[in-house]
């Protein structure tokens, strides 16, 4: 993520939200968009059983593995510079170590 960010008015990039509940080991959070990257600005994920999760650009890991206890969760608070981003034209996916219910709230932008 070697892009510079200048936060001046008018800011032209829209911030978007997504709410996803998945119980599969691999799921798409945001679909791929031709010529665009998806930058994660914040995320909350809560799992019902012990699980490990990570975010992927297509099939490539873009975060480390986050081990979570049963009924535990992960919070990456809003960061205007972003926590991670996909490669151009790739979907933002999540990988779970166990196929159990995980609720996800995501703040992102398409750049």
């Amino acid at each position: 993520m070697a892009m510079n960010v200048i936060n001046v008015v008018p800011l032209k990039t829209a911030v978007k939200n997504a709410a996803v509940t998945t119980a599969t080991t691999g799921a798409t959070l945001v679909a791929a968009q031709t010529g665009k990257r998806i930058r994660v600005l914040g995320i909350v994920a809560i799992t019902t059983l012990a699980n490990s999760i990570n975010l992927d650009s297509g099939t490539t890991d873009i975060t480390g593995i986050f081990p979570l206890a049963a009924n535990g969760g992960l919070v990456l608070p809003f960061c205007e510079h972003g926590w991670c981003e996909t490669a151009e034209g790739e979907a933002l996916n999540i990988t779970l170590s166990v196929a159990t219910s995980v609720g996800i709230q995501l703040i992102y932008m398409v750049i």
Side-chain angles (χ1 to χ4, degrees):
M1 198 161 49
M3 295 181 176
N4 294 323
V5 176
I6 300 173
N7 192 7
V8 295
V9 178
L11 189 61
K12 300 279 187 189
T13 306
V15 173
K16 300 180 179 191
N17 294 292
V20 178
T21 300
T22 185
T24 61
T25 55
T28 298
L29 301 179
V30 181
Q33 298 181 35
T34 304
K36 303 285 185 177
R37 296 173 182 264
I38 301 157
R39 182 177 291 171
V40 175
L41 303 176
I43 190 170
V44 174
I46 307 294
T47 182
T48 56
L49 297 175
N51 210 335
S52 293
I53 66 172
N54 67 288
L55 298 178
D56 304 309
S57 172
T59 58
T60 304
D61 294 348
I62 56 173
T63 66
I65 296 173
F66 301 104
L68 306 175
N71 298 316
L74 164 73
V75 176
L76 297 178
F78 181 82
C79 173
E80 70 178 290
H81 302 290
W83 289 96
C84 58
E85 70 183 39
T86 65
E88 191 173 294
E90 291 193 349
L92 176 64
N93 297 323
I94 189 166
T95 300
L96 312 176
S97 63
V98 177
T100 186
S101 184
V102 177
I104 301 149
Q105 185 68 39
L106 176 69
I107 302 169
Y108 69 97
M109 68 168 110
V110 178
I111 52 174

